[in-house]
Amino acid sequence: MELPFAESWKIKMIEPIRKSTRQEREQWMKEAHYNVFQLSADRVYIDLLTDSGTGAMSDRQWAAMMVGDESYAGASSFYQMKDAVTRITGFEYVLPTHQGRGAENVLFSCLIKEGDICPGNSHFDTTKGHIEMRKAFAVDCTIDEAKNTQLEIPFKGNVDINKLEAVLKKDGDRVPFIIMTCTNNTSGGQPVSMRNLRETKALADKYGKKVIIDSARFAENAYFIKTREEGYADKSIKEICREMFSYAHCMTMSAKKDAIVNMGGFIATNVQEWYDAAKVKNIIFEGYITYGGMSGRDMNALAVGLDENTEFENLETRIKQVEYLGKKLDEYGIPYQRPTGGHAIFVDAPKVLTHVPKEQFPAQTLAVELYLEAGIRGCEIGYLLADRDPITRQNRFNGLDLLRLAIPRRVYTNNHMDVIAAALKNVFDRRESITKGMEIEWEAELMRHFTVKLKRAE
Ligand SMILES: *Cc1c(COP(=O)(O)O)cnc(C)c1O
């Protein structure tokens, strides 16, 4: 018989996790003001808050940490990291930063001014935050199909070339760059096709603009190109990555995702003016240009992580686990953003909690219910995260309202996936009885979801 699929690694170190009672969780959730970010992690059984910095490093990464070079300037660890980045992306200039948003802060400080327009596919929340805090505008040109969670198409992260061109035509002089997020986190961890990247680059060239790839999950994106796009089945992940980045001028990277480190990030580019400008900002905000907020040992681990996670087997193990959870939800009829994306399942909350009005944040309500059910922590990627419109200050209800179950890399087994699916099914089975959602008691002006205080709606 054909052998079943199994992980491409085995486990060498473990960390105990703890269950709790429903009564404990009721109390803890209340103390956390119904905001899962405010829960202490030891009160969580299975933590799906994020796949950012939560991955398990390999023995090779740990070994590399032991030989980190902690010199202030010119550490060999920097060169290890730079060489790995250049080999995989083709970008010559590399600036380390403490994490992805550090890279955004440094780069955008050089490129964005008040009133600018930054179009692309859906912007990640920190990216949007860094654009809007500079009084500029993040214009989401993702294809309309991405909003239909039940539509099964291979590249739901794509940008709509016509929408993008309309922005460039009308306001081209206000556009400092086009930003492509691969994979498209906000629309459900959905990939961008090579063809779409190629067409975006051609359009950018036509209007004399540059393209930045927000690259947190570029390797997962490459996996989907290999497995879903015609002409790429026989190419290696590393070859696909090189081609993806050949359609961009610059990348910002949160290494906490696809480089499988707990902390780190970088900017990489071939545009010397951008690099020269960013160097100055990097020194002010992050640290000297050969460490930028990272330890030598962390840069070493990053170099190894990038190399490992641009190998097919590692990506296949990960993405098949996400798919496994998706198939369980299919069995139970629970609606999520289809097809399953790279790093997470995004449950379509308004389709589950049909009695909770949008003003009461269905996805946040579902996050609370799932935690109360089994101590599983997911994360709202929806109306709370969308913040208010910077001008009208109205809630933005025009996007999706999703409960994201992000799967940390190489951390949980498929038994944990079974528990997650069963817990969600239990909530799903009593969905008709959930008629009240959440109300905001206090919120910050920007990126409110991290600190918002909520209460149960009356
Ligand atoms: C995580 C992430 C960022 C921000 O990176 P941090 O390391 O969390 O600061 C930016 N863009 C995307 C697409 C991300 O997933």
Side-chain angles (χ1 to χ4, degrees):
M1 94 192 247
E2 197 188 334
L3 299 182
F5 178 78
E7 290 77 5
S8 64
W9 36 255
K10 58 183 178 172
I11 296 165
K12 183 143 37 186
M13 193 187 284
I14 57 101
E15 172 186 339
I17 51 178
R18 176 173 114 65
K19 288 190 196 179
S20 52
T21 64
R22 169 129 197 159
Q23 199 183 5
E24 284 175 320
R25 293 193 292 275
E26 296 270 4
Q27 179 62 30
W28 295 339
M29 194 79 257
K30 206 190 243 163
E31 287 171 24
H33 299 278
Y34 299 93
N35 178 348
V36 294
F37 284 98
Q38 304 296 316
L39 283 170
S40 63
D42 59 1
R43 295 176 170 182
V44 175
Y45 174 45
I46 300 175
D47 203 349
L48 309 180
L49 185 67
T50 175
D51 63 322
S52 178
T54 54
M57 291 207 297
S58 68
D59 52 356
R60 282 179 60 214
Q61 284 180 289
W62 281 107
M65 288 192 78
M66 295 305 292
V67 290
D69 177 353
E70 305 303 340
S71 305
Y72 188 95
S76 66
S77 299
F78 168 72
Y79 292 104
Q80 299 259 351
M81 169 175 148
K82 178 180 175 295
D83 288 349
V85 172
T86 302
R87 193 161 29 82
I88 289 164
T89 67
F91 292 130
E92 288 296 333
Y93 302 115
V94 179
L95 274 176
T97 60
H98 77 285
Q99 60 183 94
R101 70 200 67 185
E104 291 166 352
N105 187 34
V106 167
L107 189 66
F108 294 178
S109 294
C110 308
L111 303 183
I112 298 179
K113 56 183 192 310
E114 190 174 331
D116 278 354
I117 295 173
C118 306
N121 57 353
S122 313
H123 304 66
F124 182 67
D125 55 353
T126 61
T127 316
K128 183 158 66 76
H130 272 295
I131 292 168
E132 291 181 349
M133 72 175 275
R134 289 173 171 83
K135 299 197 164 54
F137 303 92
V139 179
D140 184 347
C141 301
T142 304
I143 53 170
D144 289 333
E145 290 91 328
K147 284 195 182 177
N148 177 357
T149 60
Q150 299 313 295
L151 184 71
E152 193 110 17
I153 56 169
F155 291 101
K156 252 179 168 173
N158 280 354
V159 78
D160 182 324
I161 296 289
N162 294 327
K163 284 190 204 171
L164 191 59
E165 179 149 31
V167 174
L168 290 166
K169 238 185 207 150
K170 179 159 173 289
D171 291 309
D173 51 337
R174 290 165 69 192
V175 173
F177 54 78
I178 295 163
I179 185 155
M180 294 293 282
T181 306
C182 304
T183 57
N184 186 335
N185 187 349
T186 311
S187 86
Q190 297 290 327
V192 177
S193 70
M194 193 71 91
R195 178 171 172 191
N196 196 242
L197 286 172
R198 201 180 298 127
E199 288 176 355
T200 301
K201 173 66 165 40
L203 190 67
D205 287 346
K206 179 172 161 195
Y207 287 87
K209 300 297 173 192
K210 293 194 171 66
V211 178
I212 299 171
I213 298 186
D214 180 354
S215 313
R217 300 181 184 81
F218 75 91
E220 291 172 5
N221 200 92
Y223 173 90
F224 287 118
I225 289 175
K226 183 176 168 75
T227 54
R228 291 181 185 174
E229 191 163 350
E230 211 188 308
Y232 289 93
D234 296 328
K235 293 215 153 68
S236 73
I237 296 292
K238 285 190 168 68
E239 285 169 330
I240 293 170
C241 291
R242 274 302 273 259
E243 185 178 342
M244 282 170 60
F245 288 110
S246 75
Y247 302 127
H249 302 85
C250 186
M251 69 188 285
T252 52
M253 177 72 185
S254 169
K256 303 169 72 170
K257 304 356 183 308
D258 271 355
I260 323 192
V261 288
N262 302 117
M263 194 53 71
F266 57 85
I267 299 165
T269 183
N270 278 335
V271 181
Q272 197 188 337
E273 305 94 88
W274 283 13
Y275 173 66
D276 287 340
K279 271 197 295 201
V280 179
K281 303 287 183 193
N282 214 61
I283 294 171
I284 295 169
F285 293 134
E286 297 290 311
Y288 183 63
I289 57 173
T290 61
Y291 74 87
M294 296 186 74
S295 309
R297 53 180 171 272
D298 289 339
M299 290 190 280
N300 268 14
L302 195 163
V304 176
L306 268 186
D307 187 45
E308 282 180 358
N309 203 33
T310 46
E311 288 299 321
F312 181 74
E313 286 70 22
N314 202 66
L315 289 162
E316 184 186 36
T317 293
R318 162 166 189 64
I319 287 165
K320 289 235 159 151
Q321 183 169 54
V322 179
E323 231 173 69
Y324 176 88
L325 179 56
K327 283 187 186 137
K328 283 268 153 196
L329 299 196
D330 286 343
E331 253 175 62
Y332 305 146
I334 300 170
Y336 60 87
Q337 173 70 298
R338 310 187 71 88
T340 49
H343 66 293
I345 295 279
F346 292 71
V347 181
D348 191 343
K351 283 202 167 61
V352 176
L353 300 183
T354 51
H355 302 315
V356 175
K358 64 179 189 298
E359 293 77 11
Q360 295 181 7
F361 305 105
Q364 181 64 21
T365 307
L366 192 57
V368 168
E369 290 298 331
L370 182 63
Y371 175 76
L372 295 178
E373 179 68 30
I376 297 165
R377 173 158 72 169
C379 168
E380 192 247 32
I381 301 270
Y383 302 147
L384 268 180
L385 179 127
D387 273 333
R388 290 174 189 272
D389 184 282
I391 293 167
T392 66
R393 300 307 299 158
Q394 293 301 304
N395 279 309
R396 293 192 267 211
F397 291 123
N398 51 342
L400 293 171
D401 192 40
L402 305 167
L403 167 64
R404 183 180 77 176
L405 306 173
I407 314 297
R409 294 170 183 75
R410 312 191 286 209
V411 170
Y412 293 112
T413 67
N414 283 0
N415 289 333
H416 293 108
M417 300 302 122
D418 290 342
V419 174
I420 297 158
L424 205 53
K425 178 181 189 300
N426 290 346
V427 176
F428 188 65
D429 287 348
R430 58 179 163 80
R431 64 190 181 280
E432 297 293 324
S433 69
I434 303 169
T435 55
K436 296 226 160 69
M438 294 289 145
E439 253 171 44
I440 295 177
E441 273 196 306
W442 179 88
E443 66 183 289
E445 203 173 311
L446 213 57
M447 307 202 67
R448 62 181 177 182
H449 58 292
F450 288 123
T451 52
V452 68
K453 290 183 177 168
L454 299 156
K455 59 177 183 184
R456 287 195 182 278
E458 297 297 316

